[in-house]
Amino acid sequence: MPRLATPAEMVEDILVDPVLQTRISAEAFIGLLMMANTPENEKPTCYQQVG
């Protein structure tokens, strides 16, 4: 299975691609920035989210 892009990689792609910049909402971009800024060990796992 191919590796998925990390939030930081997605932010980088958006910053350099004008087409992507026009297709993402401000709220979605802010969410990506917040996820990119969160250390991996602080992110909840799927199991933790489901409970």
Side-chain angles (χ1 to χ4, degrees):
M1 184 166 91
R3 186 183 68 80
L4 299 176
T6 65
E9 291 169 332
M10 288 187 264
V11 167
E12 185 178 332
D13 289 343
I14 292 165
L15 289 175
V16 298
D17 188 335
V19 174
L20 291 177
Q21 292 171 15
T22 62
R23 293 186 178 187
I24 188 167
S25 70
E27 293 83 6
F29 189 70
I30 290 168
L32 275 176
L33 287 172
M34 292 171 60
M35 288 191 310
N37 196 38
T38 303
E40 285 298 319
N41 60 348
E42 291 183 16
K43 293 179 184 172
T45 63
C46 292
Y47 180 77
Q48 289 170 323
Q49 289 178 346
V50 173

